[in-house]
Amino acid sequence: MTFSISIDTLTLIVSGILLLMALVTPLLSPHFRRLRHDAPQSAIDLPRVTVLLVSNGDHVALDEHLPIYLTQDYAPGYDVVVVSEKADAETDNVLKRYANNERLYSTFVPESSRYMSKNKLAITLGVKAAKNDWIVLTDPRCKPMGSDWLSSLSQSLADHDSIVLGYVNYSEESKPYHRFEQMHTALYLLRAAQRGEAYRTNCPLVAFKKKDFMENNGFLEHLRYSIGEYDFLVNKYGKLGDSEVAISPQTWLTEDPIHEKTWQNRQVYYEETKKHLEGGMGVRTLFLTDQMMLHLNYILEFAAMAFAGLTSRWVLLGVALLSLVITCLLRTLNGKRAMKEMGVSIPSWKVVPYEVSMLWRNMMTRLRYEYADKNDFISHKV
């Protein structure tokens, strides 16, 4: 077989397009766009804070993590409010062991409470019990990294802010894709909040003001939906003033591993929640644009390889292979940098397959939602 090197006009045009796409499309990614790191407040301006933990039967996690919440080094002062179901004996036993701690206050969701989201009711009860205006809401399954967590987080709280979003990563024992997807989605949502366009959050760490919550009827419009309390909170109260993001590593929380089924349910539940959220067009459009350009680039590269092989355009085949290498290299480097900044330790070679699979996983989630019983997403049947 004789190989000939020929460069015609078509080869030049297609090669130029391939190389341009290989260089440009990796820039269309949340891994390339950086979050803004603002200067912290002076320590003398930090407010008193209430940390609100809503227990959903996670008594083991509460027992493990509550001591860290109760021993924060925070000079202005703070308290911790834990809300659980009254019939949860295991959680009650955990709380009794810490009953002598002056910072701890606990309250319960009445057994008779029906026809509304118990999580949203629990948050409402916790807010009413809070002694301070600034409330930091999180989950007992999330663990602070040290005793300076609250002090670092509170440096993002300012009088003119209405809501502050934090970052929560899954622990290293979690599935690598869970950790990657959590970071990938968070980068879109945190950047939107930094632009003053707080839409929702996929991280169970939100600070807001008791006054705003009480004066604007809490979750009143969304009590019938059994899920989405963090999303509804950010979506509603982020519009009352400026939104801020606490992004320094000292402010992060680490969430315990979750089962694959639980993770899938979270994705499916969001398909219902987003129908009741305002805004978000910018975030969703940006994600779809990034995914469209990502897949278009790969399709063009593989199509060019096939075409070049069939027509014996060996220069074009070489350029297509080079473009694929450049694409994968740049995307891997961008992903590696983003993972380092966001505390995600998974092998760099997984960045490309995880990015490609994300759109298809989302389509499967949408399919699961379409076939799900929609009554599962509300607290009572109407």
Side-chain angles (χ1 to χ4, degrees):
M1 183 176 180
T2 303
F3 291 88
S4 61
I5 302 298
S6 61
I7 305 178
D8 55 12
T9 302
L10 180 61
T11 295
L12 289 173
I13 292 174
V14 175
S15 296
I17 293 174
L18 290 174
L19 290 173
L20 181 62
M21 292 283 286
L23 293 171
V24 171
T25 54
L27 308 183
L28 303 177
S29 166
H31 303 158
F32 179 77
R33 307 179 189 105
R34 295 195 172 220
L35 292 168
R36 185 180 70 247
H37 291 262
D38 294 330
Q41 289 191 84
S42 169
I44 61 174
D45 298 326
L46 300 182
R48 289 184 60 86
V49 172
T50 292
V51 178
L52 175 55
L53 305 174
V54 175
S55 177
N56 291 300
D58 298 315
H59 62 277
V60 175
L62 181 66
D63 196 19
E64 179 183 353
H65 301 155
L66 185 56
I68 307 176
Y69 286 107
L70 292 173
T71 55
Q72 291 294 302
D73 183 12
Y74 190 59
Y78 75 101
D79 53 59
V80 177
V81 175
V82 178
V83 187
S84 62
E85 292 189 37
K86 195 170 184 61
D88 188 351
E90 290 86 357
T91 298
D92 189 39
N93 290 334
V94 171
L95 294 173
K96 286 178 180 177
R97 287 199 289 273
Y98 301 95
N100 293 330
N101 192 301
E102 60 182 12
R103 286 176 173 161
L104 178 63
Y105 179 82
S106 61
T107 187
F108 301 92
V109 177
E111 294 181 60
S112 59
S113 61
R114 299 175 182 175
Y115 312 124
M116 66 180 65
S117 166
K118 286 194 174 182
N119 277 353
K120 296 181 184 67
L121 177 58
I123 292 172
T124 301
L125 293 173
V127 170
K128 289 181 178 180
K131 300 177 182 178
N132 307 301
D133 193 33
W134 270 109
I135 297 172
V136 177
L137 172 65
T138 187
D139 191 286
R141 299 180 67 259
C142 298
K143 176 184 178 181
M145 292 297 96
S147 61
D148 62 342
W149 164 74
L150 187 57
S151 178
S152 300
L153 178 68
S154 295
Q155 292 180 30
S156 298
L157 307 182
D159 289 340
H160 59 274
D161 292 332
S162 62
I163 203 162
V164 176
L165 280 64
Y167 175 62
V168 179
N169 199 356
Y170 287 120
S171 68
E172 293 186 3
E173 294 78 19
S174 304
K175 289 189 175 183
Y177 183 77
H178 293 177
R179 304 194 74 206
F180 181 86
E181 192 276 340
Q182 176 81 350
M183 175 201 73
H184 191 273
T185 302
L187 288 173
Y188 283 106
L189 300 176
L190 294 177
R191 286 191 75 251
Q194 286 189 334
R195 298 194 305 268
E197 301 170 3
Y199 167 55
R200 59 174 287 255
T201 181
N202 67 330
C203 299
L205 176 56
V206 175
F208 59 97
K209 292 180 179 179
K210 177 177 181 176
K211 179 181 178 182
D212 291 341
F213 188 88
M214 300 304 295
E215 290 182 351
N216 291 275
N217 300 316
F219 291 111
L220 183 62
E221 307 92 332
H222 307 112
L223 279 176
R224 69 188 297 260
Y225 304 110
S226 60
I227 36 74
E229 50 273 5
Y230 286 92
D231 288 335
F232 289 129
L233 192 65
V234 171
N235 192 255
K236 179 176 180 178
Y237 296 98
K239 297 176 173 59
L240 299 182
D242 294 336
S243 56
E244 187 54 84
V245 170
I247 197 56
S248 68
Q250 293 80 12
T251 67
W252 298 348
L253 295 177
T254 301
E255 185 173 355
D256 292 342
I258 60 174
H259 297 295
E260 178 68 19
K261 184 63 175 179
T262 302
W263 182 84
Q264 289 181 4
N265 286 340
R266 288 186 179 183
Q267 313 306 311
V268 172
Y269 275 30
Y270 168 61
E271 291 296 320
E272 173 67 22
T273 301
K274 71 181 181 182
K275 294 164 59 176
H276 313 288
L277 300 176
E278 296 180 4
M281 182 62 70
V283 173
R284 294 195 297 271
T285 300
L286 185 60
F287 171 79
L288 291 174
T289 300
D290 290 347
Q291 286 291 312
M292 179 186 70
M293 296 305 295
L294 178 151
H295 283 81
L296 177 62
N297 185 30
Y298 286 126
I299 290 171
L300 289 177
E301 288 168 344
F302 284 108
M305 290 180 203
F307 175 73
L310 292 173
T311 59
S312 300
R313 286 179 165 85
W314 309 119
V315 172
L316 178 58
L317 179 60
V319 172
L321 287 169
L322 177 62
S323 298
L324 180 61
V325 171
I326 292 173
T327 296
C328 294
L329 179 62
L330 291 180
R331 287 196 171 276
T332 299
L333 292 175
N334 285 340
K336 183 177 181 180
R337 178 192 60 78
M339 289 190 297
K340 182 179 180 180
E341 289 187 356
M342 304 304 288
V344 178
S345 55
I346 63 175
S348 300
W349 66 265
K350 293 187 176 184
V351 170
V352 170
Y354 280 173
E355 280 189 316
V356 172
S357 70
M358 188 162 292
L359 181 63
W360 305 102
R361 288 174 184 260
N362 286 356
M363 291 174 65
M364 286 300 299
T365 295
R366 183 66 190 182
L367 191 62
R368 291 190 187 99
Y369 170 75
E370 292 297 332
Y371 284 95
D373 183 353
K374 302 306 184 289
N375 285 325
D376 292 340
F377 305 120
I378 58 177
S379 300
H380 64 289
K381 317 306 182 262
V382 293

